[in-house]
């Protein structure tokens, strides 16, 4: 599942569930650079089937982004990248919880990919 996180406002419960999960926290700690699920499974000692479920949880919370690596041989690979710099949870004036996620600046490739995605939606 490839999701664009630029406009995603994650649900508070999704963020809390992901951050409460020890396996998800281990994955976050290992994502210094984009990695495949297999690489993450080896580094975290989390079984691959469990790791995919945790990556889905982290993606739903907009904490991790899935990138598709295009290969010349046609076998594309997914790499996972940390999609946040910080997560802030605050209480609003109406006594409701608000979650704000600060994201790293987008690379030129990411901006181009988003633009191309928008063009494809229009056609």
């Amino acid at each position: 599942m490839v999701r664009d996180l630029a406009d995603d406002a994650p649900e508070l419960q999704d963020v809390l569930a992901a951050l409460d999960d020890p396996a998800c926290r281990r994955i976050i700690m290992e994502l210094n650079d984009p990695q495949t699920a297999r690489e993450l499974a080896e580094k975290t000692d989390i079984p691959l089937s469990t790791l995919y479920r945790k990556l889905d949880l982290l993606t739903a919370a907009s904490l991790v982004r899935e990138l598709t690596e295009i290969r010349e041989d046609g076998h594309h690979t997914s790499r996972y990248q940390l999609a946040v710099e910080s997560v802030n949870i605050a209480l609003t004036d109406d006594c409701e919880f608000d979650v704000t996620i600060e994201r790293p600046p987008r690379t030129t490739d990411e901006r181009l990919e988003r633009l191309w995605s928008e063009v494809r939606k229009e056609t």
Side-chain angles (χ1 to χ4, degrees), residues 112-123:
L112 182 60
E113 179 184 348
R114 179 177 169 92
L115 178 64
W116 182 247
S117 176
E118 291 299 319
V119 168
R120 285 195 328 227
K121 285 180 190 175
E122 295 295 322
T123 59

Side-chain angles (χ1 to χ4, degrees), residues 27-35 40 55 64 80-82:
I27 292 167
I28 289 171
M29 289 171 38
E30 291 295 335
L31 279 175
N32 297 326
D33 54 354
Q35 298 178 53
L40 283 167
L55 287 170
V64 168
Y80 298 90
Q81 175 183 40
L82 191 59

Side-chain angles (χ1 to χ4, degrees), residues 63-83:
L63 301 175
V64 168
R65 176 181 314 168
E66 182 179 355
L67 308 170
T68 302
E69 182 179 289
I70 309 280
R71 295 184 178 175
E72 289 182 17
D73 64 3
H75 298 316
H76 307 316
T77 301
S78 289
R79 291 194 173 274
Y80 298 90
Q81 175 183 40
L82 191 59

